[in-house]
Amino acid sequence: MTALKPRIGIIGTGAIGGFYGVMLARAGYDVHFLLRSEYQAVKQNGLQINSAVHGSLHLDSVQAYGDASDMPMCDWVLVGAKSTSNQALAPLIEQVAAPDARVVVLQNGLGVEDELRNVLPDSLHLLGGLCFICVHRSALGVVEHQALGGVNLGYHSGPASPQEQQALVEEGVAMFRAAGVDSNAAANLNQARWQKLVWNMPYNGLSVLLGAGTAPLMANPDSRALVRSIMLETFGAAAACGHPLPEVLVDRMMASTDHMPDYLPSMYHDHIQGRPMELDAIYAAPLAAAAEAGFAMPKTEALYQSLRFISARMAD
C-alpha cells in the first residue's frame, strides 16, 4: 500500500457514498463498500452512476461487504450514512479503521463530528466533509447525479498537531482531486458547516413541507421570499455564533440555485421513502446554538416545528 493509493472504506453506500466511492475506485484507489439492503443487488450488478456531468459510470467489480467485520482495515473511512444513524455507526467505523485512520464525515448539519467524536477512539483523525452535489439514489445500486460534486474538507479533532492537521486535509483534498472531484480545504470547519446550512435549512425542509423541488420554490414569489428569509436567519445565526459569513453569500446562493436543475434535496427523499429525516443535525443543533447566542430564528423555528409534526405523524 502506498501513500498515493491508500485503502478507502465507504460506510453507507447510498447516493453520497456510492458516488464518491465509484469516482475514487475508477481513479485506481482500493475502495471497499459496506452495504446493507443493497448488498445483494450491488454484488450481482455493480454500482451505476447516471451523471449529467460525467456520463454513465459503472463499477462492475465492487468490493462489497454486508458485514464490517469482513472488511480490511482502511486508511481513509468515508461516512456516507445519514446522521440519524451516527450512534450505530461508531462500532462499524472502529472495525474498519486502521490505526491512525482518517475518518471523514460526509453528512449535512451542525455538530455531526462532535457526536461521533464522543464514541470513537482518540487515536482516529476525524474530519468533516462538506458535499456540494445534487445526487440521489433511484434504485438499489443506482445513483442519479444531476449537478455539481465538490467536497471541502476540514480537520475536526484527533492526535495531529496543527501542522499535521493541515497536511492530512491536503492529503484528502489531493485524493479527491485525483478522482476528478473538485475539493478544497476548509480553514474553519464550523464556519463551513454554517455556510452550507444557509442553503440546507430552507430547501431541505421546504421541499418536504411544500412537496416541491428547487425550481418551483424559486419560481413562486411567496416561497422564494420564504427561502430568502430563512437563509438570512441562518446567516445571522452564524454571525451570532462567532462564524460570520461573506455578505454576498445569500444573493450568490439564490442566484446559483436559479441556475441549477430542479433538485429535490435528500430530506425530501428520506420523507417520501419513510426514512427518518435529519432534523436534529440540520435544524435542532443550529437552532439551539443560535438560541444560546441570543439570536432568534422564528421562521426557521416554525419550519422545524412543522417538520417535527410530519415526522411524528409518520411514526404513528
Side-chain angles (χ1 to χ4, degrees):
M1 190 181 307
T2 68
L4 292 177
K5 298 295 182 184
R7 180 178 288 151
I8 302 167
I10 307 292
I11 305 295
T13 309
I16 292 293
F19 175 80
Y20 291 115
V22 168
M23 294 295 288
L24 289 160
R26 286 172 56 86
Y29 287 94
D30 183 19
V31 185
H32 299 259
F33 298 83
L34 180 64
L35 303 108
R36 293 200 172 175
S37 61
E38 300 187 57
Y39 172 73
Q40 291 296 338
V42 170
K43 195 70 178 174
Q44 181 176 345
N45 303 317
L47 282 166
Q48 175 68 35
I49 311 295
N50 299 318
S51 173
V53 178
H54 305 286
S56 178
L57 308 176
H58 188 264
L59 186 62
D60 187 25
S61 300
V62 179
Q63 299 185 104
Y65 305 84
D67 194 314
S69 63
D70 295 329
M71 295 177 70
M73 304 293 273
C74 297
D75 306 294
W76 286 82
V77 179
L78 309 186
V79 182
K82 296 291 179 65
S83 61
T84 50
S85 58
N86 273 359
Q87 289 296 321
L89 292 177
L92 306 179
I93 295 170
E94 281 194 66
Q95 285 182 297
V96 172
D100 198 42
R102 299 91 163 106
V103 179
V104 183
V105 185
L106 300 175
Q107 296 176 342
N108 286 323
L110 193 67
V112 288
E113 294 88 4
D114 296 337
E115 186 179 6
L116 277 174
R117 178 78 279 170
N118 291 333
V119 290
L120 287 178
D122 293 340
S123 59
L124 296 180
H125 302 280
L126 191 60
L127 293 84
L130 296 100
C131 306
F132 300 91
I133 186 169
C134 296
V135 67
H136 69 277
R137 182 177 55 188
S138 59
L140 296 178
V142 181
V143 175
E144 308 296 330
H145 174 218
Q146 293 177 257
L148 306 174
V151 179
N152 291 348
L153 301 179
Y155 194 91
H156 177 270
S157 58
S161 68
Q163 185 175 0
E164 291 168 337
Q165 292 175 17
Q166 184 62 30
L168 289 175
V169 170
E170 289 173 0
E171 180 185 340
V173 165
M175 182 176 73
F176 278 109
R177 287 180 177 176
V181 173
D182 182 41
S183 185
N184 293 284
N188 183 316
L189 182 57
N190 280 328
Q191 184 180 52
R193 287 217 166 271
W194 272 108
Q195 181 163 322
K196 194 161 188 281
L197 281 166
V198 173
W199 195 95
N200 273 327
M201 292 186 86
Y203 292 108
N204 269 281
L206 290 176
S207 72
V208 174
L209 192 63
L210 302 180
T214 54
L217 287 174
M218 297 302 284
N220 179 278
D222 291 317
S223 55
R224 186 184 184 93
L226 186 54
V227 165
R228 185 178 182 84
S229 65
I230 294 172
M231 280 191 175
L232 288 170
E233 285 187 354
T234 312
F235 180 91
C241 292
H243 303 293
L245 301 172
E247 291 291 336
V248 298
L249 180 66
V250 170
D251 288 337
R252 186 179 295 163
M253 283 189 172
M254 297 282 288
S256 66
T257 307
D258 279 330
H259 291 94
M260 278 172 46
D262 186 27
Y263 177 59
L264 288 162
S266 60
M267 190 170 288
Y268 175 88
H269 292 283
D270 288 339
H271 170 61
I272 290 297
Q273 294 175 30
R275 297 190 297 258
M277 295 183 286
E278 295 182 284
L279 300 185
D280 287 346
I282 297 178
Y283 293 100
L287 281 166
E292 187 175 349
F295 187 86
M297 303 177 70
K299 292 188 177 179
T300 309
E301 180 75 35
L303 176 57
Y304 173 52
Q305 290 169 332
S306 301
L307 293 168
R308 281 173 57 87
F309 174 82
I310 291 170
S311 179
R313 289 197 72 182
M314 288 179 63
D316 289 342

